[in-house]
Amino acid sequence: MGEIIGEFIFYVLLNYIGGTTRWIFGSIWRSLFNKPKYTYKEYIYGPQEPDFYDSAHTFINGAIAVVFVIILVVIFT
């Protein structure tokens, strides 16, 4: 049961928190500099045409989510 909860927290919850954070900042950044935008789905599940460097998007989303949560905890405590 603990493994299921751990997988849910890391692979689902942190993936969505990190992907949403990346999508918000990426959309703003790409709008400011007139670069092509990615869809929200691509930030969560990876690009439609992945290359070698895009294969770790779940880990990156999780890492960004952990940093985001730590920042929120520091701000609100």
Side-chain angles (χ1 to χ4, degrees):
M1 185 69 170
E3 291 178 22
I4 295 172
I5 294 171
E7 284 185 28
F8 173 77
I9 289 173
F10 186 73
Y11 290 112
V12 177
L13 195 60
L14 291 181
N15 187 34
Y16 277 95
I17 292 171
T20 302
T21 305
R22 288 180 57 214
W23 176 73
I24 291 169
F25 287 108
S27 296
I28 293 169
W29 179 263
R30 290 180 174 279
S31 294
L32 290 174
F33 293 102
N34 291 327
K35 294 189 175 200
K37 296 180 183 98
Y38 295 115
T39 63
Y40 180 74
K41 184 178 177 181
E42 288 178 306
Y43 279 104
I44 299 296
Y45 300 112
Q48 293 176 356
E49 298 175 11
D51 61 10
F52 175 75
Y53 297 104
D54 294 325
S55 62
H57 68 276
T58 303
F59 175 75
I60 293 169
N61 286 349
I64 290 173
V66 168
V67 170
F68 181 74
V69 169
I70 289 171
I71 289 172
L72 287 179
V73 168
V74 168
I75 289 173
F76 290 112
T77 56

